[in-house]
Amino acid sequence: AKPLVLQSRKGLSEDPNSETMDSSFKWLGTLVLPLLFLYISNQWSRSSLYYLVNFSEDATPFSAMNVDIGFDQTQFGLLASLAFTILFSVASLGAGAAADRFDRKT
């Protein structure tokens, strides 16, 4: 007996090499992979802030962002935690209101 393969919207097929096998994974390349790359880019940009600081005595403005702008550990902590959270919350509320107000097809 030949193995049965689930096809999208057409039921079962006895041909495992049918074209529907390739088209059923099309969503992987068109939806999942771009979202994965977007997620990776977002995480890199969020974590890059932590790699750009150096609170040691021998830190130079060229190698450490906090020395260049004059931030101490408390100011940097507020920027990296509280300021980010407030900005993200306000932006999320604005994006949610825009999503509720406007039709996505226009």
Side-chain angles (χ1 to χ4, degrees), residues 4-15:
L4 296 177
V5 178
L6 184 62
Q7 289 181 350
S8 62
R9 299 183 189 169
K10 293 187 179 181
L12 296 174
S13 170
E14 293 181 5
D15 184 13

Side-chain angles (χ1 to χ4, degrees), residues 5-97:
V5 178
L6 184 62
Q7 289 181 350
S8 62
R9 299 183 189 169
K10 293 187 179 181
L12 296 174
S13 170
E14 293 181 5
D15 184 13
N17 297 324
S18 67
E19 235 179 79
T20 58
M21 291 286 289
D22 295 332
S23 65
S24 65
F25 290 106
K26 198 180 277 188
W27 62 271
L28 182 68
T30 58
L31 180 68
V32 175
L33 289 178
L35 287 176
L36 175 67
F37 292 137
L38 186 67
Y39 171 77
I40 291 170
S41 173
N42 183 20
Q43 293 304 314
W44 280 346
S45 64
R46 283 178 87 183
S47 64
S48 67
L49 187 64
Y50 300 107
Y51 293 112
L52 295 173
V53 296
N54 186 357
F55 292 105
S56 65
E57 293 296 324
D58 60 343
T60 63
F62 182 72
S63 64
M65 176 185 70
N66 62 310
V67 176
D68 190 33
I69 58 178
F71 275 14
D72 61 0
Q73 289 181 350
T74 304
Q75 290 170 326
F76 177 76
L78 288 172
L79 173 69
S81 61
L82 190 60
F84 174 78
T85 303
I86 291 171
L87 178 66
F88 189 79
S89 300
V90 170
S92 296
L93 289 172

